Amino acid sequence: MQSYPVKPGQAAKVNLADSFDASFDSHKKEGDWLVGSYGSMPSIKVRYEGKKELQVDTVTDKSFALKVAAGDKAALAVAMDTQRRWNEFLEGVTGYDAKTRGKKAQEAAKKSA
């Protein structure tokens, strides 16, 4: 499981279920988690923890990496599409782009060390 910081006010502006469906087509509810799958990610679980944190639990299908390494262009296209959608989803629901999320993760790691 991984946590991402959420930009102040972003959780109130975003409907998590609608954003999930826009990125990954559909979801089901398991408690307070939204659960679905898409492409090379057979399991995607997300939820807001309060208004300042997004918790995610994902599983990536490792066979895609093997197929891509073997030159499978269709597997590469699926993996790239999945990653693009994942990054767009995270940016939409956290309010931070990939670069900023990385900086925030580094800051959190320094604080906990």
Side-chain angles (χ1 to χ4, degrees):
M1 186 169 333
Q2 190 169 0
S3 296
Y4 294 95
V6 176
K7 194 177 212 176
Q10 187 71 11
K13 290 192 289 188
V14 174
N15 182 313
L16 188 59
D18 288 347
S19 294
F20 193 97
D21 290 347
S23 295
F24 309 117
D25 299 332
S26 67
H27 75 278
K28 49 186 177 167
K29 292 272 289 176
E30 289 181 10
D32 57 348
W33 291 92
L34 298 180
V35 180
S37 64
Y38 186 84
S40 62
M41 297 172 87
S43 176
I44 305 168
K45 294 172 66 174
V46 300
R47 72 176 177 185
Y48 279 127
E49 183 68 27
K51 295 180 180 181
K52 295 183 179 184
E53 183 179 355
L54 177 75
Q55 291 185 331
V56 303
D57 190 9
T58 60
V59 174
T60 302
D61 185 345
K62 305 288 188 246
S63 70
F64 274 86
L66 297 173
K67 291 176 186 175
V68 169
D72 185 335
K73 293 184 190 235
L76 176 61
V78 169
M80 288 176 58
D81 180 54
T82 303
Q83 188 63 43
R84 179 187 57 77
R85 286 174 181 247
W86 178 246
N87 282 331
E88 288 173 356
F89 170 75
L90 286 178
E91 185 171 346
V93 298
T94 66
Y96 295 120
D97 62 15
K99 184 176 180 178
T100 306
R101 288 193 308 270
K103 286 181 183 178
K104 296 271 184 194
Q106 287 177 349
E107 290 170 8
K110 285 180 184 177
K111 284 182 183 177
S112 67

